[in-house]
């Protein structure tokens, strides 16, 4: 049986199930299609990364002598979707009698894939994506009939399952989680070690020109693209992180500094999520560095927790709960997304920094995403649909399986507590503690109701006040609600009036 093996743009791994089992008479299909490049307004760097990585990956496949059907963007009229691409490939290769694809990362596209057997009257085999450590079946079995799912307990199960940072049945160092040791503010004068960057080669320059022309209105500028687009360079970038940045990463992974978009973060999630890196290889390299005494335990554990904890957990949750999960809006957040999420022109220094980093690099690190852009969206009650679409569009590592739970669930609490046990709501005090943004801001982080007061402050109390019915019984919010209730009526009225004025002037902040 000869198959058409379809490889998607986030599946650029030689270890992909379809490629491992490919036979000489199979045909491999990769296609740059408009439906996938345009279903949200993707950042230019995201499109460049995927298209260039696809072209480099196809060149490796050609060198290996496989039969390849590669469709460049706009090269074949009337190809707009993956379904169109499959139809074209089958027309070019009528000898094929089966379809093979690995499960994709987005429910939307998976539904399209599921229709192919009927559309093309050929057997369709959808392989499990075993690049992930936890299969959907394993996650579903773990979730079982639990009334409440929590990442921490899943993470412990994954540590036992993989043996990472374990001494028998005991976690290395005697503790499962060193999150409390990952929250130090970073001194402004601490020497920075930037991530490894790469000059675009001729193939990437072709893609940059294409994207600048075809996606001219999208966020970003192709001229400063410098990410890895091959597995070899992605591995170099990650080893640079392990050797140079990881020793300091643990202490400062939650910190933020003015004009420092990367600090000590690896920025390798974009490589991992499109298939250029393997999660097991990454975790083993981090564990080896710890065992060799090159990095402290809080750094090794903190990084591994992000990979086999959060990353695997949100994927499992996504496939467990979709498609209903996407419709959740527990706090009835409907306010339109302000323009500064797209252009970064705001006097709020923290928002300006987070959005400007996003515009320049299709990247900001997890605390900027959660506690700056996400926190503001939560406090202001911004539209869940618009905010999740924004996160999906602007980050080079964003695919719906990872973006939606992190945004809808963790940042916006729109799932009512399925992912997180409390909303990650914070006033300007948190931002001031974890960054030096506030010292360089037009707003005063110490003030709440004055003309120059930090917008986060009044919005924080307004968030609690308007969501008392949904959140008042949450034990983790007992202290904030107690502090709100003990304020005088005059204080409450002044704060709520300031918040209302702020919400009415979002575009002018």
């Amino acid at each position: 049986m000869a198959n058409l093996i379809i490889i998607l743009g986030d599946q650029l791994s030689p270890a992909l199930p379809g490629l491992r089992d490919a036979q000489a008479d199979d045909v491999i299909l990769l296609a740059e299609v408009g439906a996938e490049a345009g279903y949200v307004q993707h950042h230019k760097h995201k499109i460049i990364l995927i298209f260039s990585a696809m072209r480099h990956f196809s060149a490796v496949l050609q060198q290996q002598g496989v039969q390849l059907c590669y469709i460049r963007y706009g090269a074949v009229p009337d190809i707009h979707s993956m379904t169109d691409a499959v139809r074209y490939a089958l027309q070019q290769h009528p000898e094929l009698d089966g379809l093979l694809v690995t499960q994709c990362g987005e429910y939307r596209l998976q539904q399209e894939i599921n229709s192919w057997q009927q559309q093309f009257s050929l057997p369709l085999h959808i392989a499990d994506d075993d690049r992930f450590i936890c299969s959907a079946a394993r996650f579903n079995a773990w979730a079982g009939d639990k009334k409440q799912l929590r990442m921490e307990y899943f993470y412990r199960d994954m540590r036992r399952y993989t043996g990472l940072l374990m001494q028998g049945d005991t976690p290395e160092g005697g503790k499962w989680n060193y999150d409390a040791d990952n929250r130090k503010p970073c001194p402004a004068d601490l020497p920075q070690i930037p991530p490894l960057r790469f000059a675009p080669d001729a193939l990437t320059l072709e893609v940059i020109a294409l994207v600048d022309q075809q996606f001219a209105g999208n966020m970003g500028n192709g001229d400063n693209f410098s990410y890895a687009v091959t597995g070899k360079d992605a591995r170099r970038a990650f080893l640079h992180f392990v050797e140079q940045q990881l020793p300091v990463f643990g202490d400062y992974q939650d910190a933020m500094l003015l004009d420092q978009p990367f600090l000590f973060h690896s920025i390798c999630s974009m490589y991992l999520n499109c298939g250029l890196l393997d999660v097991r290889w990454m975790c083993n390299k981090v564990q080896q560095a710890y065992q060799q005494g090159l990095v402290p335990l809080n750094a090794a554990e903190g990084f591994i927790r992000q990979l086999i904890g959060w990353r695997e957990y949100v994927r499992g949750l996504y496939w467990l709960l979709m498609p209903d999960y996407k419709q959740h809006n527990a706090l009835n957040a409907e306010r339109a997304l302000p323009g500064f999420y797209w252009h970064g022109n705001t006097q709020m220094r923290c928002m300006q920094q987070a959005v400007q980093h996003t515009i320049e690099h299709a990247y900001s690190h997890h605390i900027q995403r959660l506690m700056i852009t996400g926190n503001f969206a939560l406090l202001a009650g911004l539209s869940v649909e618009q905010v999740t679409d924004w996160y999906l569009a602007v980050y080079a590592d964003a695919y719906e399986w990872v973006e939606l739970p992190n945004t809808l669930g963790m940042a916006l609490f729109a799932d009512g507590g399925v992912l997180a046990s409390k909303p990650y709501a914070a006033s300007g005090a948190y931002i001031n503690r974890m960054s030096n943004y506030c010292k360089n801001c037009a707003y005063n982080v110490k003030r709440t109701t004055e003309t120059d007061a930090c917008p986060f402050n009044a919005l924080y109390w307004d968030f609690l006040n308007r969501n008392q019915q949904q959140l008042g019984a949450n034990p983790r919010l007992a202290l904030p609600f107690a502090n709100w209730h003990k304020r005088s009526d005059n204080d409450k009225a002044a704060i709520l009036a300031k918040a209302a004025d702020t919400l009415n002037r979002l575009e002018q902040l």
Side-chain angles (χ1 to χ4, degrees), residues 9-76:
D10 61 347
Q11 298 178 342
L12 306 179
S13 167
L16 200 70
L19 290 176
R20 287 201 307 264
D21 302 327
Q23 304 298 312
D25 52 355
D26 292 334
V27 175
I28 312 297
L29 169 66
L30 290 97
E32 305 166 5
V33 298
E36 298 309 307
Y39 67 93
V40 292
Q41 197 173 13
H42 296 292
H43 196 293
K44 288 180 181 177
H45 285 200
K46 183 178 182 181
I47 303 173
I48 294 167
L49 171 67
I50 295 172
F51 281 8
S52 180
M54 287 174 67
R55 294 185 184 190
H56 282 87
F57 188 68
S58 71
V60 172
L61 293 177
Q62 282 184 313
Q63 291 173 1
Q64 294 172 351
V66 304
Q67 293 190 73
L68 184 68
C69 178
Y70 192 96
I71 304 171
R72 291 195 172 197
Y73 186 87
V76 182

Side-chain angles (χ1 to χ4, degrees), residues 9 81 92 104 116 151 167 177 190 215 233 270 349 353 355 360 458:
S81 68
Q92 301 300 306
C104 76
W116 288 350
M151 190 282 292
Q167 296 290 339
N177 188 315
L190 187 67
F215 301 90
D233 281 347
M270 66 183 73
R349 193 64 158 171
Q353 286 279 295
V355 175
E360 292 174 5

Side-chain angles (χ1 to χ4, degrees), residues 158-371:
M158 292 298 288
R159 288 275 294 277
R160 296 186 188 99
Y161 177 60
T162 62
L164 288 164
L165 296 179
M166 295 292 292
Q167 296 290 339
D169 293 329
T170 304
E172 187 74 37
K175 290 168 56 180
W176 291 103
N177 188 315
Y178 289 84
D179 187 48
D181 299 323
N182 300 146
R183 302 173 183 171
K184 295 179 183 177
C186 187
D189 59 353
L190 187 67
Q192 296 298 307
I193 305 169
L196 201 59
R197 311 300 292 270
F198 301 88
D201 62 9
L203 202 56
T204 301
L205 289 173
E206 287 182 11
V207 174
I208 291 172
L210 168 75
V211 171
D212 279 342
Q213 179 186 46
Q214 297 295 322
F215 301 90
N218 289 34
M219 181 184 284
N221 183 347
D223 290 344
N224 69 329
F225 180 86
S226 57
Y227 293 131
V229 292
T230 66
K232 179 180 179 181
D233 281 347
R235 289 188 291 274
R236 285 179 57 202
F238 185 71
L239 292 176
H240 168 83
F241 163 73
V242 172
E243 295 164 4
Q244 302 294 325
Q245 299 169 280
L246 183 58
V248 191
F249 167 81
D251 287 345
Y252 304 118
Q253 66 173 285
D254 284 6
M256 298 171 284
L257 279 182
L258 193 67
D259 299 327
Q260 294 291 343
F262 305 118
L263 287 181
F264 303 101
H265 291 262
S266 75
I267 72 166
C268 285
S269 55
M270 66 183 73
Y271 307 145
L272 174 61
N273 288 354
C274 73
L276 298 182
L277 289 177
D278 177 76
V279 67
R280 296 169 182 83
W281 178 83
M282 295 169 74
C283 288
N284 287 333
K285 290 298 181 184
V286 171
Q287 177 170 255
Q288 289 170 14
Y290 166 71
Q291 292 171 338
Q292 293 167 4
L294 302 177
V295 301
L297 180 56
N298 72 316
E301 187 278 323
F303 191 84
I304 286 175
R305 182 175 1 111
Q306 289 187 6
L307 293 187
I308 70 169
W310 271 116
R311 183 175 184 269
E312 298 277 340
Y313 181 73
V314 298
R315 177 179 182 264
L317 201 70
Y318 176 83
W319 287 109
L320 178 69
L321 300 178
M322 283 294 283
D324 294 342
Y325 190 74
K326 194 170 184 176
Q327 309 307 317
H328 287 204
N329 189 1
L331 302 182
N332 302 309
E334 300 286 356
R335 195 177 307 276
L337 191 73
F340 56 71
Y341 271 79
W342 293 103
H343 53 64
N345 296 326
T346 171
Q347 294 183 81
M348 293 181 288
R349 193 64 158 171
C350 58
M351 286 292 295
Q352 179 269 324
Q353 286 279 295
V355 175
Q356 202 59 48
H357 295 167
T358 300
I359 293 170
E360 292 174 5
H361 306 293
Y363 173 86
S364 63
H365 72 68
H366 68 283
I367 293 299
Q368 290 175 311
R369 299 189 203 192
L370 177 63
M371 300 307 300

